[in-house]
Amino acid sequence: MGHGKYRIITLFLAAPLTLYGVFVLSPFAQAFYISLTSWTGFTAAQPFVGLANYRKLASDPGFWTALEHNALLLVAVPLVTIALGLFFASTLNVGASAGTVKGVRGAGPYQKLFFLPHILPAVITAVLWQFLYNPQLGPINSALDAVGLGSLKATWLGDPAVALWSLAAIMVWTGVGFYVVLFSAAMQSIPKDIYEAADLDGSSRAQAMWRITLPLLRETVQVAWIYLGIAALDAFALFEVLLPDGGPDNSTNVVAQYLYQAAFQNGEFGYASAIGVVLCLLTLLMAAATFGLSRRETIEF
């Protein structure tokens, strides 16, 4: 009986595992093989060079500069996005006024409004913010002038000191709405009795957020951090549309852009594949580190 059960399970898993192997694992294996060659992408020949591309990568200052930019995004974008997502989700769901566990009136439309930037295509988002950041005609500099803060005006995408952070701000603006909805759904699953008991004990809204909401949302925040980390390590489309050459003084070039430049501008597909393999490994390490550092016993309620 048990033997027949395993045969049925194997039969049902055969097709999806085959598809997974062909369309997921096989491209990974091909990318790794290409990274061991000096293939130019335009010839049939793929001369094998072993680990030469990886040795070149280890001493390539352009790659390390791009990786440094990704590392800055990996810290800033998840932190700010998750903090804003938790703040807005908490306001919409648990704490419009003292002594209640209800969100603000009309929370549904607010969630849709927050979510809107997330559904915009990357190219449309880039064009929109290119106008907003325009130093002469853009409304950001005009608004700073209007409120007497003209000294804060900048050429947002043309100044090496602020260009990367200007792009990071767009990533936060694009992503925060999704996490407001995600955290809102998680908060709505927390029993209101817990907040009412905390309110009776005299807990402030900030204490309830720190001692109740965050511990119960730990796994959701963990998943959010991994998704945002992947976005920060990728960060290609938005950057390529707004600053395709790596920004002023190469101040915004990220690893995905560097990969694209190596492949399609320099014709070094083998070297670009090596960059892609390293980027994939870094993403896996980031996810594993996030799970490992935040591993705790699951809180049930």
Side-chain angles (χ1 to χ4, degrees), residues 262-278:
F264 296 100
Q265 294 180 9
N266 304 332
E268 298 176 319
F269 274 75
Y271 187 54
S273 295
I275 297 173
V277 170
V278 171

Side-chain angles (χ1 to χ4, degrees), residues 219-244:
E219 293 181 353
T220 306
V221 172
Q222 182 186 70
V223 171
W225 189 281
I226 291 174
Y227 277 123
L228 286 165
I230 293 172
L233 287 173
D234 179 11
F236 173 74
L238 183 70
F239 283 55
E240 185 64 20
V241 173
L242 283 172
L243 295 170

Side-chain angles (χ1 to χ4, degrees), residues 157-211:
L157 298 178
D159 185 349
V162 299
L164 182 66
W165 303 115
S166 299
L167 293 175
I170 302 175
M171 294 178 68
V172 172
W173 178 83
T174 302
V176 71
F178 174 80
Y179 296 98
V180 169
V181 175
L182 179 67
F183 294 145
S184 293
M187 288 177 184
Q188 288 168 9
S189 69
I190 300 175
K192 301 301 183 184
D193 296 347
I194 299 177
Y195 290 104
E196 291 171 353
D199 184 64
L200 290 174
D201 288 338
S203 296
S204 65
R205 208 172 304 154
Q207 289 174 326
M209 181 68 182
W210 185 256
R211 296 177 182 271

Side-chain angles (χ1 to χ4, degrees), residues 85-104:
L86 286 170
F87 171 75
F88 289 128
S90 178
T91 301
L92 293 175
N93 292 277
V94 286
S97 60
T100 71
V101 289
K102 295 181 180 179
V104 295

Side-chain angles (χ1 to χ4, degrees), residues 5-6 10 12 54 72 82 106 128 156 158 224 239 259 271 276 281:
K5 178 183 69 174
Y6 291 120
T10 303
F12 275 99
Y54 293 95
L72 293 173
I82 289 174
L128 171 64
W156 302 101
F239 283 55
L259 183 158
Y271 187 54
L281 291 176

